[in-house]
Amino acid sequence: MRFSFSTARLVLLLGWLGSTLSLPSPGPDLENDEQNGPERGPKVITRDVCIIGGGASGTYAAVRLRELGHSVALVEREDHLGGHTRTYYDPEGRPIDYGVWVYSNNTDAARFFAHFNIATARQDFTRISEGSQRIDLRTGQRVPPPSGSVVEAMTRYAQILLQFPYLADGWDLPDPVPEDLLLSFRDFIARHNLGPAVETLTLYVQGLGDILDYPAVYVMKYFSFAVLLGIQQGFTTSASLANGRLYEAAQAELGDDVLLSSTAIAASRSADGHRILVSTPEGKQLIQADKLIIAIPPLPQNLEPFDLDDRESETFAQFGNSYYYTTVIRLPGVPNNVQILNRAVDTEYNAPVLPGAYVFYPSQVPTLFMGFFGGGDQDLSEEEVRETIIDNALQLRNAGYDVADPEILAYGNHSPFQLFVSSEAIANGFYRDLYSLQGLRKTWYTGAAWHAHDSAALWRFTERLLNERVIGG
């Protein structure tokens, strides 16, 4: 969960919240693969479950399945596990999390950290004594705080969330879908007089793009009641302030069951079992598994190797997505007890103009900030993101900060980020159709598209999926 926080005052204000199948066409290559040599085909790995994607959900699934007595193979395209989790270490070895930062509190999160003997702590927000500075990062112009009562607006929002408790467990929506969930976020704000709360809400749902046009349900899924409780009670994070160590421990435990820097290139799926051909640094390997879990964003381009049928293809093709990037940036001249919020002077509710930074949040290392950046619906190159975020940082000079030579030290591309469909599609049963794919051809799915961008919530979702469907179904 990536959050930027406003002032300690906000924390106080919210104290009221209580088998043998043929692969499609690679036959000759399997027999005479250049990487593996002409005398043999790819190495064959036989497991109970193959998992595609080593982010929060896929890593959790692999660890838990092994713990429950099932053999696994986990395929991850990066050279490490962790997905959106990113930890930068400065030259003195001090960590800065600039991806997944904190976790909402539930028993599955507590158990997962405890499994690896990783101590946790509560995130302390009161450190930012000067609070939030609202600045239009296009110009450096100061922007006033929201007018009206934030407490009253957030109270109304909490009461609305309590009307839809099923949102905490996934996308099992009633039919018909309640109108409030289908409103654009703009109309939802107007209906419930939530204007004073918009800044807070949007800061906690970074990465959604032009948020006012989204169906309100996506905001409610992201800014959940668990988030409200986290604001009141504190969120969970690793005591070392290095969340990447959780995945380092998982990688060490999984050992040879993880194929890093690897991608599936062809697959044959059926009720009798699966064969997944994987490209690895050691050559092509063939995974034979009884069951398959896909824990990557279910976009057609990501799932092309998995011989999708028409039903699967038509469902996944409906998704759109946003683009989201994170950085560690050096900002000499900005005090380390100040959070810079990007707010526009000429937009509804002063929402920031994208592409652009959402916030510069100070780390525990002097002059080093976490810079969270929204691309909206634009798929930007790394160079474009770096140029824009540096331009945003330089505008702080016009706001009175003596910013000298800002420098980006770490960069993370979290795209595709939020997967979404239209309100019309939701009303017409999109998520019912999506969930009906669970177990089809002995394939199950997990990840943010199936619930929310919240690692702890995804661990809980994955735990239920494993016990109720993958193992027990």
Side-chain angles (χ1 to χ4, degrees):
M1 192 183 298
R2 286 144 305 280
F3 297 130
S4 62
F5 304 98
S6 39
T7 65
R9 176 175 174 272
L10 177 59
V11 180
L12 298 175
L13 289 176
L14 295 176
W16 39 265
L17 284 168
S19 140
T20 57
L21 303 173
S22 299
L23 281 165
S25 75
D29 294 329
L30 288 175
E31 297 299 327
N32 299 289
D33 183 75
E34 291 182 2
Q35 287 180 286
N36 293 289
E39 302 301 323
R40 58 187 176 89
K43 175 183 177 181
V44 176
I45 302 170
T46 302
R47 297 289 191 271
D48 296 328
V49 185
C50 175
I51 304 166
I52 306 297
S57 301
T59 301
Y60 183 90
V63 171
R64 284 294 285 144
L65 283 169
R66 283 184 22 141
E67 196 174 17
L68 294 168
H70 301 267
S71 60
V72 303
L74 174 60
V75 181
E76 167 54 45
R77 69 178 182 178
E78 302 290 345
D79 61 1
H80 60 279
L81 300 178
H84 293 302
T85 302
R86 310 264 179 156
T87 303
Y88 167 81
Y89 293 89
D90 82 336
E92 296 182 23
R94 293 172 292 186
I96 299 172
D97 284 318
Y98 66 105
V100 177
W101 185 6
V102 293
Y103 304 84
S104 56
N105 303 300
N106 64 33
T107 56
D108 300 289
R111 183 179 61 234
F112 199 39
F113 277 97
H115 176 85
F116 297 108
N117 296 314
I118 294 176
T120 60
R122 296 295 184 188
Q123 179 73 6
D124 179 11
F125 308 144
T126 61
R127 184 172 61 83
I128 311 304
S129 62
E130 289 187 27
S132 301
Q133 303 299 309
R134 298 165 180 86
I135 299 171
D136 189 327
L137 294 182
R138 298 172 298 172
T139 64
Q141 184 175 344
R142 297 272 180 173
V143 179
S147 61
S149 173
V150 175
V151 171
E152 292 177 3
M154 289 302 297
T155 300
R156 287 192 293 274
Y157 181 73
Q159 292 169 342
I160 296 166
L161 281 179
L162 290 172
Q163 299 174 32
F164 309 107
Y166 45 82
L167 294 179
D169 296 320
W171 283 98
D172 189 11
L173 304 176
D175 186 14
V177 180
E179 183 183 5
D180 259 357
L181 305 184
L182 300 175
L183 292 173
S184 71
F185 187 48
R186 174 185 290 104
D187 291 343
F188 180 80
I189 294 164
R191 170 178 285 189
H192 297 289
N193 190 22
L194 298 178
V198 172
E199 178 180 279
T200 301
L201 292 171
T202 55
L203 282 172
Y204 282 77
V205 292
Q206 293 173 20
L208 264 63
D210 295 325
I211 191 170
L212 296 176
D213 294 325
Y214 274 74
V217 65
Y218 288 108
V219 178
M220 299 167 73
K221 290 282 294 177
Y222 205 157
F223 199 128
S224 65
F225 201 80
V227 172
L228 286 168
L229 291 178
I231 294 172
Q232 177 199 12
Q233 302 169 358
F235 294 93
T236 294
T237 191
S238 62
S240 67
L241 302 180
N243 286 320
R245 290 178 181 169
L246 177 68
Y247 294 95
E248 293 170 5
Q251 186 171 316
E253 179 173 300
L254 293 169
D256 292 340
D257 287 342
V258 179
L259 284 68
L260 296 172
S261 304
S262 302
T263 56
I265 56 176
S268 178
R269 299 183 294 137
S270 82
D272 296 322
H274 308 298
R275 286 158 61 92
I276 300 98
L277 185 63
V278 179
S279 175
T280 80
E282 290 73 41
K284 293 176 183 175
Q285 302 192 27
L286 181 65
I287 301 173
Q288 297 185 148
D290 181 49
K291 300 176 180 181
L292 176 65
I293 295 175
I294 294 178
I296 59 177
L299 294 170
Q301 61 267 34
N302 289 346
L303 302 181
E304 187 174 352
F306 294 98
D307 66 331
L308 300 180
D309 63 20
D310 290 343
R311 178 178 164 192
E312 294 166 324
S313 296
E314 291 169 3
T315 302
F316 297 138
Q318 295 182 59
F319 275 125
N321 66 269
S322 61
Y323 298 89
Y324 184 57
Y325 314 85
T326 61
T327 64
V328 175
I329 182 169
R330 188 188 308 279
L331 291 176
V334 180
N336 236 55
N337 57 358
V338 168
Q339 173 182 234
I340 304 294
L341 305 183
N342 187 10
R343 312 302 295 169
V345 297
D346 55 355
T347 63
E348 291 179 271
Y349 308 106
N350 302 122
V353 174
L354 303 179
Y358 289 111
V359 62
F360 295 124
Y361 188 88
S363 73
Q364 67 272 21
V365 181
T367 77
L368 299 193
F369 288 68
M370 293 162 279
F372 300 96
F373 187 94
D377 60 359
Q378 297 187 39
D379 185 6
L380 303 175
S381 68
E382 180 175 346
E383 181 181 5
E384 289 173 316
V385 173
R386 287 176 175 268
E387 287 180 355
T388 306
I389 205 165
I390 291 294
D391 286 344
N392 289 165
L394 290 172
Q395 295 305 320
L396 293 173
R397 295 174 176 174
N398 295 329
Y401 293 102
D402 187 19
V403 175
D405 299 324
E407 179 185 7
I408 294 175
L409 304 176
Y411 167 87
N413 186 344
H414 300 265
S415 311
F417 194 64
Q418 177 69 55
L419 271 59
F420 63 89
V421 296
S422 67
S423 292
E424 181 181 7
I426 298 171
N428 290 336
F430 171 82
Y431 282 102
R432 178 192 62 231
D433 295 342
L434 182 73
Y435 271 32
S436 73
L437 300 179
Q438 293 282 24
L440 184 68
R441 299 165 73 189
K442 300 185 79 171
T443 303
W444 290 266
Y445 301 86
T446 184
W450 302 81
H451 187 13
H453 277 285
D454 179 330
S455 295
L458 287 173
W459 294 336
R460 183 176 61 183
F461 176 87
T462 305
E463 181 72 19
R464 290 183 58 190
L465 179 71
L466 296 179
N467 285 286
E468 297 177 9
R469 303 294 302 275
V470 180
I471 297 172

